[in-house]
Amino acid sequence: MAIKTVDVEALVAQTGNLFETVAILSKRSRQIASRMKADLDNQLAYFEGFEPELEDPQFQEEQRRISIEYEIKPEPTELAIQEMFDSEIYFRDPLTETEE
């Protein structure tokens, strides 16, 4: 993964606070990582129960393909930052919301 510079000021402009931006990005990144992990687990769950067949090169190749696909996906943090730039992340500050 190549290192990319990020315009922090553009991210902070959406929330007005650097620490709030980092908190939002970290929470969204954890959500994405959790979803990616669940997807990987679902794909690999297919191979459970095939103990004798796991020695078959076809099964090994399929598992390898799934693992490589997972490894070449962008990092969850990278996806969260891109979502923030594209204004796709919904966030709110409960302290500033008025109760009706």
Side-chain angles (χ1 to χ4, degrees):
M1 175 172 87
I3 296 174
K4 299 177 187 175
T5 57
V6 176
D7 185 7
V8 177
E9 295 300 321
L11 291 174
V12 172
Q14 294 185 24
T15 63
N17 185 323
L18 175 63
F19 300 107
E20 194 173 324
T21 302
V22 171
I24 291 167
L25 287 173
S26 66
K27 188 168 192 170
R28 180 62 184 141
S29 179
R30 277 181 270 151
Q31 291 171 344
I32 293 170
S34 176
R35 187 190 70 221
M36 289 172 70
K37 175 79 168 99
D39 290 344
L40 177 65
D41 288 343
N42 286 338
Q43 289 180 342
L44 292 178
Y46 169 77
F47 297 102
E48 293 176 6
F50 289 109
E51 299 305 323
E53 291 89 357
L54 287 179
E55 298 301 322
D56 183 18
Q58 225 173 10
F59 269 90
Q60 292 175 355
E61 183 61 32
E62 184 66 18
Q63 284 180 318
R64 188 175 301 115
R65 184 189 62 77
I66 290 171
S67 295
I68 289 172
E69 283 178 11
Y70 182 75
E71 289 175 7
I72 62 174
K73 286 183 178 181
E75 294 291 318
T77 306
E78 196 175 340
L79 293 172
I81 291 171
Q82 188 59 47
E83 286 180 1
M84 187 80 152
F85 276 127
D86 296 340
S87 300
E88 296 175 357
I89 296 178
Y90 170 76
F91 58 90
R92 61 186 177 88
D93 184 2
L95 299 177
T96 60
E97 292 181 358
T98 59
E99 293 192 24
E100 297 176 23

